Amino acid sequence: MSIQSLRIRQLKEWLQKLRDLLDSDLVDLVPRLWSAVKQLFREEKPPGPYEVLAYESRLELKDAKGKKAVFYKRQRVHFLQDNVIAFQDLAWGDGQIFADYQCAPGVAVDRYREGHRYRVLISLRETKNQGDVEEFLIERTIQDGFTRTVESFQTEINHPTQQLSVSVVFPRQRPPQRVTLTQQNAAKTAELGADRRRVLPDGRVKVFWEAHNPGLYEAYILQWTW
């Protein structure tokens, strides 16, 4: 449950208790008050300096042994605050996850570990203000990260996001036998069927999944057997 939903539920419970205490002449006040509270929450801005209009997360396995992979991230961002001068990227996984790292726009100026994740600080080299829209492209090469028979690829939603697309591209010599998608917080797993597969012109197989308004702080895990 999101923070906003929890706060609305708590307020609704409080208002119900208030209604029980009011006499019959004042009961009509409660629906009007509840309507005003809901309007206030609708007008409240999402948390953080920006929201994501579109998020594409794609992993390309470059060889049949999983020795080399390239991760591509594309985020179209709408800034909600003034004077934003940096953008933050998150990375994690097995193997050498920073064999190569490129981003545009901006320059990666710092990287540090926090738990099992790495945070990458990207200097924008310019100031972004409320209302600005920018598209960020990140390309990261991974060595020895997907060498097992069963592997997974995870995408996390850390900012309000309107559209999400996640995909894995398999080498022509080793297509997947089975692929599932798990929504970690919701504890839901579903197998991705033929309608979620595309054979690319070069013979590689792309497995994909899309969502509109994905859950905030949810983790989407593509797991495959190959």
Side-chain angles (χ1 to χ4, degrees):
M1 178 179 294
S2 68
I3 296 175
Q4 179 171 316
S5 298
L6 180 61
R7 290 166 64 185
I8 290 176
R9 189 180 71 177
Q10 291 172 336
L11 276 171
K12 192 172 183 180
E13 292 174 352
W14 180 84
L15 287 172
Q16 184 59 50
K17 293 179 181 178
L18 178 63
R19 181 171 182 165
D20 294 341
L21 295 175
L22 294 172
D23 61 39
S24 58
D25 293 334
L26 296 178
V27 163
D28 289 341
L29 174 64
V30 174
R32 294 197 298 270
L33 181 58
W34 175 235
S35 178
V37 169
K38 289 194 292 183
Q39 181 65 29
L40 176 64
F41 274 92
R42 281 197 294 269
E43 295 176 352
E44 185 180 46
K45 292 181 179 178
Y50 63 85
E51 63 179 345
V52 179
L53 304 179
Y55 182 1
E56 178 187 359
S57 178
R58 184 173 87 254
L59 179 72
E60 293 192 6
L61 301 165
K62 295 298 186 179
D63 62 86
K65 293 184 177 180
K67 301 285 288 184
K68 181 181 179 180
V70 180
F71 169 68
Y72 301 90
K73 177 188 289 185
R74 180 181 67 86
Q75 288 183 305
R76 186 168 176 80
V77 167
H78 173 227
F79 288 92
L80 304 174
Q81 298 178 6
D82 292 334
N83 303 314
V84 179
I85 61 172
F87 185 77
Q88 186 174 251
D89 184 28
L90 292 174
W92 61 89
D94 298 330
Q96 188 179 349
I97 66 173
F98 291 108
D100 187 36
Y101 188 94
Q102 300 180 51
C103 61
V107 178
V109 296
D110 192 19
R111 183 173 77 212
Y112 64 94
R113 186 166 186 168
E114 188 175 80
H116 70 283
R117 295 176 175 83
Y118 285 88
R119 295 186 181 270
V120 181
L121 181 65
I122 299 173
S123 172
L124 299 181
R125 293 296 195 261
E126 62 179 349
T127 301
K128 298 295 182 181
N129 294 308
Q130 184 177 5
D132 288 346
V133 175
E134 184 64 80
E135 185 168 272
F136 291 92
L137 302 174
I138 293 171
E139 181 177 318
R140 180 164 55 85
T141 300
I142 304 163
Q143 295 284 357
D144 300 320
F146 300 93
T147 58
R148 295 170 296 188
T149 302
V150 178
E151 284 289 358
S152 62
F153 165 55
Q154 178 172 311
T155 300
E156 294 183 358
I157 304 301
N158 297 306
H159 295 273
T161 300
Q162 294 185 14
Q163 192 68 34
L164 171 67
S165 171
V166 297
S167 61
V168 178
V169 179
F170 295 85
R172 181 176 56 84
Q173 303 88 340
R174 195 179 180 187
Q177 300 172 21
R178 181 175 184 263
V179 182
T180 61
L181 178 101
T182 297
Q183 300 178 48
Q184 190 174 66
N185 294 339
K188 295 180 180 179
T189 298
E191 185 168 355
L192 301 186
D195 60 325
R196 294 296 178 178
R197 296 192 182 204
R198 295 289 183 274
V199 179
L200 303 180
D202 59 4
R204 295 182 300 163
V205 174
K206 176 181 178 180
V207 180
F208 63 94
W209 184 82
E210 299 170 332
H212 183 64
N213 292 327
L216 185 60
Y217 308 123
E218 182 61 276
Y220 298 90
I221 305 169
L222 280 176
Q223 185 177 81
W224 62 91
T225 302
W226 65 332

